[in-house]
Amino acid sequence: MITVMKYSFKEMLNKRALLLVIVLTLVFLTLYGYGLKEAYKDLPRSPVIAVTLSSQLISIGLYFAGLIIAFLVVLSSVGALSADIESGVMQAVLVKPVKRWEIVVGKFLGIGAMISLYGIVLFFAIIFLNKFFGARMIFSPSNLFYSALLFILSPIILLSVSLWGSSRMSTLNTGIMVVMLYGFALIGGWMEQIGYLLSRNGGSAQGLINAGIISSLILPIDVLYRKMNSLLFTTDGLSFTVNNILGGGYEPSIAMMIYSAVYPIFMLWMAVRRFSFRDI
């Protein structure tokens, strides 16, 4: 398994997709940094407004950073198993003394390690740019630590779904499924957030909130972003959580967070089980 993990990690380094994502990331950080420079130049003198604006800028940056990482996950993992099966490489691997579950888990750990490393760097790059250009937010080390963990858990969940799809479908079908599920989860999260904002103003929007909960049960990615926002922007008992469709005003329950933590383990088990019985 360790060998498969190392091979998958090195394979990620050699992929052009990683280079493409790195270039896109640099373009994004440059544009985002320029926007921060202009925004913080005329920051309001009111501490409350300044902190609220800072939280909004950070929240937007992390949201689009999450999209870039999801793009990397899709490019790197949809063919992790299926591409090797379609090309015949998997047959050569399976004749060696390696168990099928070790191949699946090894690929999950190898790709997951690269994605986690990339996610951590991008997370702290967003925070650093905001602090460098004048963000008024004060982060505690524990808040930063747990927020970073939640930030990289989302792509890990997407990776587990992608591996499960790759264990039973073709590369093209897996890619379509993962992209559609990701988009479904984002739209569901927006609907839930809009429902929450409407309900706070006296409206009845339980249907929108329920739609968001269902989408989170299918793919619990957006809820992690909301929880990360809540952790990141709560300081000394004061919450500066952003209340818009990209913010984290509607915080997920503890049960949903436990479900999100168990979800990738279950999907990985499903991938192992399916690949173990697949006729290759």
Side-chain angles (χ1 to χ4, degrees):
M1 185 176 70
I2 300 298
T3 303
V4 178
M5 177 182 169
K6 289 180 179 177
Y7 174 77
S8 300
F9 189 87
K10 290 180 179 178
E11 190 180 25
M12 281 281 294
L13 289 175
N14 296 327
K15 279 190 174 181
R16 291 184 178 179
L18 180 62
L19 178 62
L20 172 64
V21 172
I22 290 175
V23 172
L24 289 175
T25 303
L26 292 176
V27 173
F28 163 69
L29 290 177
T30 302
L31 182 61
Y32 181 64
Y34 175 76
L36 292 178
K37 179 184 176 184
E38 295 299 312
Y40 285 122
K41 188 166 59 178
D42 297 320
L43 203 62
R45 293 184 178 181
S46 168
V48 175
I49 297 177
V51 170
T52 302
L53 179 62
S54 298
S55 67
Q56 289 186 353
L57 292 172
I58 295 170
S59 179
I60 292 171
L62 291 175
Y63 191 85
F64 285 99
L67 292 177
I68 293 175
I69 297 178
F71 181 58
L72 176 61
V73 172
V74 172
L75 289 178
S76 62
S77 63
V78 291
L81 297 171
S82 58
D84 287 348
I85 295 173
E86 292 161 6
S87 64
V89 172
M90 189 61 71
Q91 292 180 342
V93 174
L94 291 178
V95 297
K96 297 180 179 179
V98 56
K99 297 178 181 177
R100 291 194 177 194
W101 71 265
E102 291 178 323
I103 295 175
V104 179
V105 176
K107 283 183 176 290
F108 177 80
L109 294 177
I111 300 173
M114 174 60 74
I115 290 172
S116 299
L117 180 63
Y118 187 81
I120 289 292
V121 171
L122 192 51
F123 175 86
F124 283 104
I126 297 292
I127 300 297
F128 170 77
L129 281 175
N130 277 275
K131 293 296 290 183
F132 181 78
F133 285 111
R136 299 287 179 83
M137 288 296 304
I138 299 175
F139 304 107
S140 68
S142 61
N143 281 6
L144 279 178
F145 176 75
Y146 290 117
S147 298
L149 286 183
L150 290 174
F151 185 73
I152 62 173
L153 182 55
S154 289
I156 293 299
I157 287 177
L158 198 63
L159 171 62
S160 68
V161 174
S162 182
L163 274 182
W164 171 74
S166 189
S167 69
R168 61 183 299 129
M169 295 186 289
S170 67
T171 302
L172 178 61
N173 289 341
T174 302
I176 293 172
M177 180 197 71
V178 173
V179 171
M180 293 296 290
L181 284 177
Y182 187 75
F184 180 74
L186 292 187
I187 295 297
W190 293 351
M191 292 173 66
E192 186 175 6
Q193 200 66 19
I194 291 171
Y196 167 72
L197 294 174
L198 291 175
S199 64
R200 284 193 63 186
N201 291 290
S204 177
Q206 191 58 44
L208 289 174
I209 295 176
N210 291 340
I213 293 173
I214 292 171
S215 68
S216 296
L217 289 174
I218 295 173
L219 189 64
I221 285 181
D222 195 75
V223 290
L224 295 177
Y225 168 78
R226 310 290 173 191
K227 183 64 179 179
M228 178 198 69
N229 260 323
S230 176
L231 276 177
L232 201 57
F233 303 132
T234 300
T235 304
D236 297 330
L238 296 175
S239 177
F240 297 94
T241 305
V242 184
N243 285 317
N244 57 45
I245 62 171
L246 298 183
Y250 192 75
E251 189 175 343
S253 64
I254 295 177
M256 181 60 80
M257 296 309 299
I258 295 174
Y259 177 79
S260 302
V262 174
Y263 187 94
I265 300 173
F266 176 74
M267 292 307 299
L268 182 60
W269 175 78
M270 291 280 287
V272 169
R273 181 178 173 81
R274 175 59 187 170
F275 188 68
S276 297
F277 293 103
R278 182 167 178 174
D279 185 18
I280 300 175

